[in-house]
Amino acid sequence: MENFLRPIYQERASNQNTKGIAMIEKTSQHSSLTDSFDIIMIIIVTDVDQAWQVKHYEFEGKTAALHIVREDILMNWIDTSGYRTAVEWIIEGQIVFDRNEYMNNLRNQLREFPNTKRDLRKAIEFGKLIKSYSEAKNLFEVGDFKDAHSKIMNSLLHLARLAVIEKGYYPEVTVWSQVKKIDLEVYKLYEEFIESNEEITKKVELMILAMEYVISNRAKVSVNHLLKIMQTKDSAWSFAELTNEETRPYRLDLAAVISYLAEKEIIEIVLEPTKGIDIYQRKYKIKN
């Protein structure tokens, strides 16, 4: 299969816009890493109009997918978990072309996972966790137990990814295998939830209580990215001011995060008078 693809990637390698090429083959019949293809090739490029294009090939009963990705899009995927599998392709794949050590340097960067990038990823996952967990509680309170059960499963997945990031790793597609090795507290929550023989109502109720404790303990460190932004000025922030370019990756979950932090008294609400009688704008600042 590689012999068939070689002319394709050699043509790309000769282009000055190509920074690097990696290839990864399917290791088992049911592997999810290669999206059910026999082989995946990822080509990282610069200075092209099309940000991401994918081509599918078949040769002698084998299948391949070729991903041509602009560098800025790839970095966005890496920083925001936009396409987790692509990170694994870079880390695990065989480097078949590397201009000026670009691929090796990128691999080292991914393995190091610097704190600035880690803080952003923690904020993103915490936002999704809080949103999903809040929805689970609301659904439970109105008696929609099956939907609450589903939201708890989503919450556990985001909690698992958060646990992996805290340990300095990028979450993989097989995240529970990672968590089992590095955070038994979170893994046991998941194990207890899926193996519990309790009725669904009791099962969800117990997990909501257990997760409340775990989330509360992780809250402050998980939102370090947001708190650092809020520390850049002494006065209170309006919600509109907080929805800026720096918080864009978790903007859709920011309201849920702000509400949770206010509830836990990590930040405080400042009421600012408006022109309307007895109407105040809510602003937020870090609690001293």
Side-chain angles (χ1 to χ4, degrees):
M1 191 66 180
E2 184 179 346
N3 291 335
F4 167 68
L5 292 173
R6 188 176 290 115
I8 296 172
Y9 71 71
Q10 283 180 339
E11 178 186 355
R12 296 284 176 177
S14 64
N15 191 315
Q16 290 299 310
N17 284 339
T18 301
K19 306 278 282 185
I21 304 173
M23 181 185 299
I24 188 163
E25 295 188 53
K26 183 166 65 175
T27 54
S28 68
Q29 185 64 31
H30 303 291
S31 173
S32 59
L33 184 56
T34 57
D35 295 338
S36 299
F37 288 89
D38 293 300
I39 195 164
I40 293 283
M41 185 180 296
I42 181 167
I43 300 176
I44 304 163
V45 297
T46 57
D47 299 325
V48 294
D49 292 332
Q50 194 164 352
W52 176 31
Q53 55 178 310
V54 183
K55 297 182 179 182
H56 292 172
Y57 297 94
E58 185 170 333
F59 180 71
E60 294 182 349
K62 299 287 187 180
T63 58
L66 174 67
H67 293 253
I68 304 166
V69 185
R70 203 169 62 206
E71 184 183 19
D72 61 316
I73 298 300
L74 175 66
M75 297 312 297
N76 181 262
W77 287 348
I78 291 169
D79 291 344
T80 65
S81 190
Y83 195 172
R84 288 186 308 279
T85 315
V87 177
E88 291 191 66
W89 295 341
I90 300 296
I91 294 174
E92 304 294 340
Q94 172 194 353
I95 296 174
V96 295
F97 174 73
D98 195 5
R99 190 182 303 280
N100 300 324
E101 294 292 305
Y102 174 83
M103 294 295 286
N104 272 317
N105 291 335
L106 179 57
R107 241 180 209 179
N108 290 335
Q109 178 187 326
L110 289 173
R111 285 170 177 153
E112 289 169 6
F113 204 175
N115 284 330
T116 52
K117 291 182 179 290
R118 204 183 303 178
D119 280 347
L120 175 59
R121 285 293 299 273
K122 282 191 289 188
I124 293 169
E125 288 301 337
F126 188 77
K128 292 177 180 178
L129 168 60
I130 289 300
K131 186 74 171 290
S132 188
Y133 175 71
S134 299
E135 289 173 349
K137 288 201 297 183
N138 292 338
L139 288 164
F140 178 79
E141 287 169 4
V142 298
D144 289 336
F145 303 122
K146 289 183 179 178
D147 286 331
H149 184 281
S150 177
K151 288 296 180 181
I152 286 290
M153 281 299 299
N154 287 342
S155 303
L156 283 167
L157 182 58
H158 293 307
L159 180 59
R161 290 180 185 150
L162 182 60
V164 171
I165 295 165
E166 286 174 353
K167 301 297 188 202
Y169 303 101
Y170 282 90
E172 296 172 2
V173 175
T174 53
V175 70
W176 287 113
S177 298
Q178 285 180 289
V179 174
K180 189 175 183 179
K181 297 172 187 173
I182 62 179
D183 196 319
L184 276 177
E185 180 187 35
V186 173
Y187 185 78
K188 285 190 176 297
L189 276 180
Y190 167 72
E191 199 172 48
E192 288 169 10
F193 189 62
I194 62 172
E195 293 180 0
S196 172
N197 292 321
E198 296 274 6
E199 291 185 358
I200 189 169
T201 309
K202 192 66 177 176
K203 185 177 175 180
V204 172
E205 182 182 18
L206 290 172
M207 189 52 58
I208 285 173
L209 293 172
M211 287 189 69
E212 173 62 35
Y213 173 78
V214 174
I215 294 170
S216 179
N217 283 346
R218 294 169 184 260
K220 197 164 187 178
V221 69
S222 298
V223 296
N224 194 43
H225 184 268
L226 177 62
L227 296 181
K228 281 183 177 178
I229 294 170
M230 296 182 73
Q231 286 170 348
T232 59
K233 71 173 186 175
D234 294 329
S235 56
W237 294 72
S238 69
F239 186 75
E241 289 173 325
L242 286 172
T243 53
N244 53 40
E245 282 302 310
E246 290 181 271
T247 62
R248 178 183 289 275
Y250 52 97
R251 180 181 295 180
L252 296 178
D253 302 315
L254 186 58
V257 172
I258 291 290
S259 294
Y260 183 83
L261 297 180
E263 178 188 331
K264 296 300 175 183
E265 299 186 343
I266 294 172
I267 63 174
E268 61 180 309
I269 299 168
V270 178
L271 296 180
E272 190 173 280
T274 66
K275 293 179 181 179
I277 299 173
D278 293 332
I279 298 175
Y280 300 88
Q281 182 179 8
R282 283 170 58 125
K283 291 192 172 183
Y284 309 94
K285 63 183 294 186
I286 297 173
K287 193 172 180 66
N288 295 325

